[in-house]
Amino acid sequence: MNEFQILSYLLSRRGDIIGADENTMMKKLGLKGDEGLHQLYALLDSYSNKIEIFGLKVERNPLNGYWFLTYLDELGELTTVNPFSGRTRIAMTFISILIAAICNDTTPSMEEIKKIRKKKDITRDLKDLEELGLIEIEKGLVRLTEKVGFYIDVIKFLEKFKQYLEKNY
Amino acid sequence: MKKGTSQLTLDYFSGQLKNIKNNIKEGKEDPLLPLKDYIDAFNQLKIKKDTKLTDSIDVFHSLCDIFDYKVSAFKSLLYSISSDKIQSFLDDDECLEKIVDIIPWVSTVDLVRMSNQFLSHILVMMEKERKELPSCVIDDYNKQEIEFILHIEDKLFSEQKKAIIKEISSVLSEKSSKMNINEIIGLLDEKMKLGKVRIFVILLHLIQDGNLELTGTAEKAVSKNNMVALS
């Protein structure tokens, strides 16, 4: 197994852990110390350049610092689908939570999210999102986790959402 | 003191960050965009002991300033969303359906969904060196500065030629009208201190100009019997 194969495996991990952080990659590649970190960046740089021809790129989740594989922007725009494997129901509840978080100064409650979602029951959706590790529910309050960065570009969403509101309301 | 590679890289990194900081400050760069050059610069930066502590602090200071700008920009973006407009949006029954198209989803790559054949191909291709295609550069000769070198006469050489003619004339008049070429080179070198090779070259010029005449044949020249005479 060569270094690129190891990186491919680590960066495409899905489930509880998405992608990998620097420490995990260094450990699996047998790299140590500052010099090892530089070697890792050099490898990631080379890997990222080489997978470009397949429409893929290496991205870093700014919320938890994990590196992962995603599609190039032009390819993403061509096939914009939600990363919940087409499950629009969960995607919509997820967006409701995000909007609730933007609107509230404090952590939004399940009731507030339900109002935005305009559905009688969102328990199942919240459970699914919790299983995906995207939210944590405590005492009826819903908190987004760092994993959100793997599913949505939060900054871009805020900018687009603001523009949309200014244009339409 | 000569700067080491690490110090030079640190200087470069520091300069880049200061540029980013100034660009953000002047509104030329969006503080919410990721630092694109950061990894490249960091990649080249070898943390060794030959970097100055003060410069490292400088880099850290620039990074803190950039971070501060980013946090401020994020806060201002968040607070710039009008609460009245949000309320109008929430009152809309189909609000969520309407914003579906503007959601910037990120799709993580699922290798499990890819065929073994495709994955094998990816790995084989990745190991190959990518060769850059030669680029076509069209020169604009109207803008190109062309350097002309004008070879002017070497005055010193002409003066030396004249001095050698004068010297040969006096030598030949003292001894005889004909002398062996080796003898004359040795004699001129002794008197003029120009070096035998230069004297030989000057003699060749004099022969070419017709000031000196070389008598004898090529075979004789090998046997060192050639004689020169002032014409």
Side-chain angles (χ1 to χ4, degrees), chain A residues 46-62:
Chain A
S46 168
Y47 179 80
S48 183
N49 286 335
K50 290 190 173 185
I51 57 169
E52 256 181 39
I53 52 169
F54 304 106
L56 306 174
K57 65 174 176 177
V58 178
E59 195 75 73
R60 190 169 187 253
N61 180 355

Side-chain angles (χ1 to χ4, degrees), chain B residues 27-66:
Chain B
K28 291 178 189 169
E29 207 164 304
D30 185 356
L32 293 173
L33 286 177
L35 295 178
K36 285 177 184 169
D37 292 332
Y38 174 77
I39 294 299
D40 285 345
F42 187 73
N43 197 16
Q44 292 173 40
L45 183 71
K46 305 282 178 194
I47 303 164
K48 285 179 185 167
K49 286 174 185 171
D50 61 347
T51 52
K52 279 188 203 165
L53 180 65
T54 47
D55 290 336
S56 302
I57 292 168
D58 202 30
V59 170
F60 186 68
H61 191 256
S62 294
L63 274 171
C64 285
D65 283 346
I66 292 170

Side-chain angles (χ1 to χ4, degrees), chain B residues 56-196:
Chain B
S56 302
I57 292 168
D58 202 30
V59 170
F60 186 68
H61 191 256
S62 294
L63 274 171
C64 285
D65 283 346
I66 292 170
F67 181 68
D68 197 33
Y69 282 126
K70 283 177 174 289
V71 172
S72 305
F74 182 73
K75 272 187 187 173
S76 98
L77 173 66
L78 206 58
Y79 293 130
S80 68
I81 300 173
S82 156
S83 51
D84 292 342
K85 285 184 187 287
I86 288 179
Q87 196 51 57
S88 307
F89 168 78
L90 295 176
D91 291 342
D92 190 335
D93 286 339
E94 293 174 342
C95 62
L96 289 177
E97 286 76 10
K98 285 179 180 173
I99 59 160
V100 166
D101 292 337
I102 66 157
I103 299 167
W105 294 115
V106 173
S107 293
T108 46
V109 174
D110 191 353
L111 287 184
V112 180
R113 290 181 178 191
M114 295 180 184
S115 70
N116 283 339
Q117 200 183 356
F118 179 70
L119 282 175
S120 311
H121 183 64
I122 282 184
L123 291 169
V124 169
M125 290 297 284
M126 276 198 297
E127 284 174 53
K128 283 186 181 169
E129 278 297 315
R130 286 171 70 185
K131 287 179 186 167
E132 266 186 45
L133 290 171
S135 56
C136 177
V137 181
I138 299 166
D139 287 330
D140 186 353
Y141 290 108
N142 293 325
K143 289 181 182 173
Q144 207 170 52
E145 286 182 9
I146 301 166
E147 193 183 358
F148 289 99
I149 300 166
L150 183 64
H151 292 285
I152 53 163
E153 196 188 347
D154 186 346
K155 284 184 181 173
L156 187 63
F157 189 78
S158 309
E159 283 161 14
Q160 285 172 349
K161 268 165 79 177
K162 283 177 190 168
I164 280 182
I165 291 174
K166 200 178 168 184
E167 204 62 49
I168 292 172
S169 304
S170 66
V171 169
L172 290 177
S173 61
E174 278 173 22
K175 295 190 174 181
S176 64
S177 63
K178 288 182 181 178
M179 271 185 82
N180 184 292
I181 198 161
N182 281 336
E183 281 175 2
I184 204 157
I185 288 173
L187 199 71
L188 289 170
D189 186 40
E190 203 175 286
K191 287 194 172 188
M192 302 178 77
K193 307 285 181 203
L194 289 173
K196 286 182 178 176

Side-chain angles (χ1 to χ4, degrees), chain A:
Chain A
M1 194 179 255
N2 66 30
E3 289 155 320
F4 282 172
Q5 284 170 316
I6 294 170
L7 282 179
S8 299
Y9 166 73
L10 292 171
L11 296 172
S12 64
R13 284 195 299 182
R14 300 286 299 271
D16 289 343
I17 299 169
I18 295 176
D21 62 357
E22 279 100 344
N23 286 337
T24 313
M25 285 188 279
M26 281 172 71
K27 202 176 169 186
K28 298 282 180 193
L29 290 163
L31 302 172
K32 282 176 188 169
D34 288 337
E35 199 62 36
L37 189 63
H38 293 297
Q39 283 177 34
L40 176 70
Y41 284 137
L43 262 176
L44 279 174
D45 193 38
S46 168
Y47 179 80
S48 183
N49 286 335
K50 290 190 173 185
I51 57 169
E52 256 181 39
I53 52 169
F54 304 106
L56 306 174
K57 65 174 176 177
V58 178
E59 195 75 73
R60 190 169 187 253
N61 180 355
L63 301 175
N64 69 355
Y66 270 58
W67 297 80
F68 63 102
L69 272 185
T70 181
Y71 300 97
L72 287 177
D73 292 342
E74 49 264 47
L75 199 68
E77 280 170 20
L78 198 71
T79 56
T80 312
V81 286
N82 74 61
F84 300 98
S85 307
R87 288 184 289 173
T88 317
R89 182 178 53 83
I90 302 178
M92 286 302 174
T93 305
F94 174 67
I95 290 300
S96 305
I97 299 168
L98 201 60
I99 292 170
I102 295 167
C103 301
N104 281 277
D105 289 336
T106 54
T107 314
S109 67
M110 287 167 74
E111 277 305 308
E112 284 167 325
I113 296 160
K114 205 158 79 176
K115 271 186 196 169
I116 296 172
R117 184 72 176 95
K118 295 182 175 66
K119 293 279 174 193
K120 283 181 185 170
D121 188 21
I122 55 165
T123 322
R124 178 73 198 152
D125 296 355
L126 292 176
K127 204 178 173 189
D128 286 346
L129 288 168
E130 200 174 19
E131 277 173 14
L132 285 167
L134 287 167
I135 56 166
E136 283 170 358
I137 303 170
E138 200 180 339
K139 294 175 186 170
L141 298 176
V142 181
R143 194 183 72 81
L144 290 162
T145 69
E146 298 89 350
K147 260 193 170 182
V148 167
F150 292 117
Y151 287 76
I152 196 167
D153 186 332
V154 179
I155 300 289
K156 215 183 263 181
F157 174 71
L158 278 172
E159 286 171 335
K160 285 191 170 187
F161 185 55
K162 186 192 163 194
Q163 283 168 11
Y164 176 81
L165 291 181
E166 280 169 2
K167 197 179 167 189
N168 297 286
Y169 293 96

